[in-house]
Amino acid sequence: MAKATQIEGDYDYVIVGAGSAGCVVANRLSERGDARVLLLEAGGQDNWIWFHIPVGYLFAIGNPRSDWMFETVAEPGLNGRKLNYPRGKVIGGSSAINAMISMRGQAGDYDSWRDLGLPGWGWDDVLPVFRRIEDHFLGESAVHGTGGEWRVEAPRVSWPVLDAVRDAAAEMGVAPIEDFNTGDNEGSAYFHVNQKGGVRWSAARGFLKPVRSRGNLRVETGCLIDRLAIEGGQVAGVEFLKDGQRHLVRARKETVLCAGAIGSIEILQRSGVGPGEVLKAAGVDVTQEKPGVGANLQDHLQQRAIYRISGARTLNETYHNLFQRGLMGLDYALRRRGPLTMAPSQLGIFTRSDTAQTRANIEFHVQPLSLDKFGDPLHRFPAITVSACNLRPSSRGEVRISSADPATKPVIRPNYLSTEEDRQVAADAIRVTRRLMTQPALARYTPAEILPGPEVDNSDAALARAAGDIGTTIFHPVGTARMGRADDPMAVVDKDLKFIGVGGLRVIDASVMPLITSGNTNTPTIMIADKVSREMVQAGR
């Protein structure tokens, strides 16, 4: 291994990853003028137009400029299919390429964390943090805040066919609500989005860019992190590659991993921290045996049901009409409105897959468009996609390295639909979808099922297999360095996100969630980062 050149200067904190969490942590830790902070990002600057026009996710996902281009292994639960597994590779991380949906989850999610022996993480503890980070279009209230860095707005485009789907949900007993983020998200509503005036509002735009001029904050891009420098059971700093050269940077106080549920695990395992058998197989010497590093992977799997319709406009035919496409561009240029402001999903429905559920356990993402798979062209016929995902899956997967080379992609094994419970929820979710689409409010559109298809009967076995055929990730990996009590052998960090067993190190990103939240995971990740980094600053005073 080439000798590392020590980067000039001394830093109190070295933050690895300028994604959703890292941007927040860099902002908070650099508030103290006497703390020198270095933020390292493997990707580049967000100086590409498609990072800012909301519909740009269509071009950013699957592009090596902006996406790590990961994929899963062939999944038995998906009938042997592999899935692309996008992760943001740019300042702002996945918040620069994601769905922009502002979603906290349910109060019960955080109370479950607290009940695992993690004081300070219940709903009553985290609600003030959610309010503090927000600048919400609904204004100040008991559940929302204004003046924070995380901008939340209403969508800027509407589709009559989605209004009809919402009416159909009401007809089958799912009431319309105005806000998914009060602690109970059961109901139907249009998703609130992280945008400002029709432009994507990433973590970089909200938290990092306003403070980049601070004299005590340095941001370096294009830094591929190789490993942590561990000396005597303490993390002393980070080794990384930039422009073909190996560098070492030291942290006087703490190193903070914010590289996400995939990236943070890669770095830990390359540093010799993780399951011994995995490290040895990859040719890495074991520094700290830690079986929980890379375990407990959780993700939301959706079943993409597609229905052909008639008598309504969808994005399919609008996109394929050159004149209409020109009007879309003009509408965005002049008013910052129209389909170019669209999040991937517009209408949400949270409900229960069966009557035994104590709270909403499935989430629908409803879209006025359809395609065979993400990255493929839109269909030429009018259609909508009605995807249902299991909010609290019991399947658990893993992330592991296969080589000590940081350029080698990790092995990602989500183990989707590996439990009988998850297969049952998936089958029930398709039944709920079919019931939704046969409500009177949609009759005038004559919806015809394309996926999973009318040939799939309503038996548990047929629907579970169909779920494997049409299931796809909605890009919410969490839990791979989960927090827990010190006596929990699979816990990786404690309630303060300090690494258990290695000093001078914290992990602050989605990997620390012990249980996945009931909805989109970006805003909870930002909440976690704000909560813990503020506590770090307060403790240092």
Side-chain angles (χ1 to χ4, degrees), residues 369-383:
L369 55 86
S370 66
L371 38 74
D372 288 333
K373 67 177 185 298
F374 196 88
D376 285 0
L378 299 178
H379 293 146
R380 290 187 172 272
F381 52 83

Side-chain angles (χ1 to χ4, degrees), residues 94-280:
S94 294
S95 76
I97 68 172
N98 71 357
M100 299 163 285
I101 291 173
S102 181
M103 183 69 60
R104 296 171 176 175
Q106 298 169 3
D109 300 332
Y110 303 97
D111 289 344
S112 295
W113 295 7
R114 178 202 61 206
D115 294 344
L116 290 171
L118 297 167
W121 288 101
W123 175 250
D124 290 341
D125 303 302
V126 302
L127 178 58
V129 186
F130 281 123
R131 293 184 66 249
R132 182 173 66 208
I133 61 177
E134 276 186 341
D135 184 22
H136 205 285
F137 78 100
L138 289 176
E140 193 81 19
S141 70
V143 292
H144 288 301
T146 57
E149 295 96 339
W150 198 226
R151 180 63 184 168
V152 182
E153 294 191 348
R156 299 168 70 86
V157 63
S158 62
W159 300 86
V161 68
L162 298 189
D163 295 338
V165 174
R166 196 179 188 199
D167 292 340
E171 288 175 338
M172 73 172 193
V174 183
I177 61 175
E178 294 305 314
D179 185 0
F180 284 134
N181 288 305
T182 64
D184 178 4
N185 54 19
E186 189 160 6
S188 73
Y190 288 95
F191 291 119
H192 297 164
V193 292
N194 295 118
Q195 295 180 12
K196 186 170 184 178
V199 178
R200 175 187 289 272
W201 193 259
S202 70
R205 190 175 177 204
F207 293 92
L208 182 60
K209 290 185 177 182
V211 302
R212 283 194 72 166
S213 60
R214 287 176 179 167
N216 63 332
L217 173 62
R218 176 176 175 179
V219 180
E220 290 286 339
T221 57
C223 301
L224 180 60
I225 308 302
D226 184 8
R227 59 195 306 276
L228 303 171
I230 301 177
E231 301 172 358
Q234 187 88 4
V235 173
V238 175
E239 289 190 22
F240 63 94
L241 304 172
K242 182 180 171 84
D243 300 327
Q245 300 295 314
R246 178 173 291 273
H247 300 275
L248 168 68
V249 61
R250 292 186 172 272
R252 289 184 297 204
K253 291 185 177 180
E254 290 188 70
T255 298
V256 186
L257 280 183
C258 299
I262 310 301
S264 288
I265 300 310
E266 292 183 276
I267 295 165
L268 286 165
Q269 292 183 359
R270 284 198 299 267
S271 306
V273 180
E277 72 280 3
V278 170
L279 306 185
K280 291 171 186 175

